[in-house]
Amino acid sequence: DQQVKQNSPSLSVQEGRISILNCDYTNSMFDYFLWYKKYPAEGPTFLISISSIKDKNEDGRFTVFLNKSAKHLSLHIVPSQPGDSAVYFCAASDFNKFYFGSGTKLNVKP
Amino acid sequence: EAGVAQSPRYKIIEKRQSVAFWCNPISGHATLYWYQQILGQGPKLLIQFQNNGVVDDSQLPKDRFSAERLKGVDSTLKIQPAKLEDSAVYLCASRRTGGSTDTQYFGPGTRLTVL
């Protein structure tokens, strides 16, 4: 049973435009959500997080939106840069345990 | 601050052989996780430690996998005997406490290939 889903395996965006990565979850008990970025041959790197009591969190070019009623979160990258090309994982936590989506490979074209 | 360290980075073994992975978490992080990431999938939790005690090992195939965290710091994950389907990246992560908004930080992973 996959509690966190990323339905788009890949996304291609032109440099300077917005990248929107989506994630859906099924467990209403999740109270903390995170996005990780992963380059080849490296471990996932923490990017941004949001608590379930908020609906938006911003950090520079990265913004995460949470829609609890739809059980949906999204990551917006504006403007996208070629260095953002990586696999992005969303994760959800119910206190101690983390559940990961299968990842979306973002390609930002120069 | 030093990150999560893992070794080896790569390992190739034949099926039915044994293998062990090592992890050193970020200093002061009480919680340690081992994940298995199969190509094209997200990380799947194998085992979680809080200090040197096991919090969750419900998805650890205990007939062949074992893990320990002596003295609540370093941890080792062992597979004995390995199967072809164990080919994956094994990720170690650590977290300061078990608090719900504490972020977990990952090591670089060990890529295991079982032939």
Side-chain angles (χ1 to χ4, degrees):
Chain A
D1 62 332
Q2 200 170 355
Q3 300 193 50
V4 179
K5 290 183 181 178
Q6 293 176 257
N7 292 316
S8 297
S10 63
L11 174 68
S12 190
V13 169
Q14 204 66 39
E15 180 179 7
R17 306 294 290 267
I18 184 171
S19 295
I20 300 176
L21 294 90
N22 294 303
C23 180
D24 297 295
Y25 61 95
T26 57
N27 188 343
S28 56
M29 297 302 292
F30 288 146
D31 59 359
Y32 187 49
F33 304 87
L34 310 92
W35 285 94
Y36 285 85
K37 179 178 178 178
K38 186 182 183 304
Y39 292 118
E42 295 183 13
T45 303
F46 168 71
L47 191 57
I48 191 169
S49 64
I50 187 167
S51 165
S52 60
I53 62 173
K54 295 186 175 181
D55 55 18
K56 177 183 173 181
N57 188 26
E58 203 169 344
D59 184 1
R61 297 185 298 113
F62 302 92
T63 303
V64 56
F65 295 92
L66 176 63
N67 182 335
K68 288 189 292 293
S69 60
K71 294 191 179 70
H72 178 83
L73 69 154
S74 62
L75 174 69
H76 292 209
I77 307 173
V78 184
S80 301
Q81 299 173 354
D84 297 329
S85 297
V87 177
Y88 290 78
F89 292 98
C90 69
S93 169
D94 58 354
F95 187 71
N96 244 338
K97 198 167 174 180
F98 289 81
Y99 300 83
F100 287 82
S102 54
T104 296
K105 185 173 184 178
L106 174 65
N107 179 33
V108 180
K109 296 178 287 188
Chain B
E1 159 178 87
V4 178
Q6 288 188 249
S7 68
R9 291 296 312 276
Y10 304 91
K11 191 74 179 179
I12 301 173
I13 61 172
E14 306 246 329
K15 60 182 179 183
R16 290 187 289 273
Q17 284 187 322
S18 304
V19 65
F21 312 128
W22 173 82
C23 173
N24 181 240
I26 293 172
S27 177
H29 280 201
T31 309
L32 185 146
Y33 306 78
W34 281 103
Y35 290 89
Q36 179 192 59
Q37 185 178 14
I38 292 172
L39 189 64
Q41 299 180 19
K44 184 189 90 171
L45 180 68
L46 291 175
I47 189 167
Q48 177 186 342
F49 293 92
Q50 183 77 17
N51 296 308
N52 60 349
V54 175
V55 173
D56 185 344
D57 64 355
S58 57
Q59 300 205 78
L60 187 74
K62 297 180 189 66
D63 57 334
R64 298 184 301 105
F65 286 64
S66 63
E68 60 181 9
R69 190 183 184 196
L70 299 175
K71 300 180 183 177
V73 182
D74 292 8
S75 177
T76 55
L77 176 70
K78 296 180 182 177
I79 308 175
Q80 181 180 4
K83 291 185 175 180
L84 296 177
E85 59 260 35
D86 297 333
S87 293
V89 175
Y90 290 84
L91 293 162
C92 179
S94 71
R95 196 178 182 204
R96 190 167 53 87
T97 70
S100 59
T101 57
D102 277 339
T103 300
Q104 61 175 334
Y105 296 91
F106 285 86
T110 297
R111 180 176 294 278
L112 173 67
T113 303
V114 182
L115 303 174

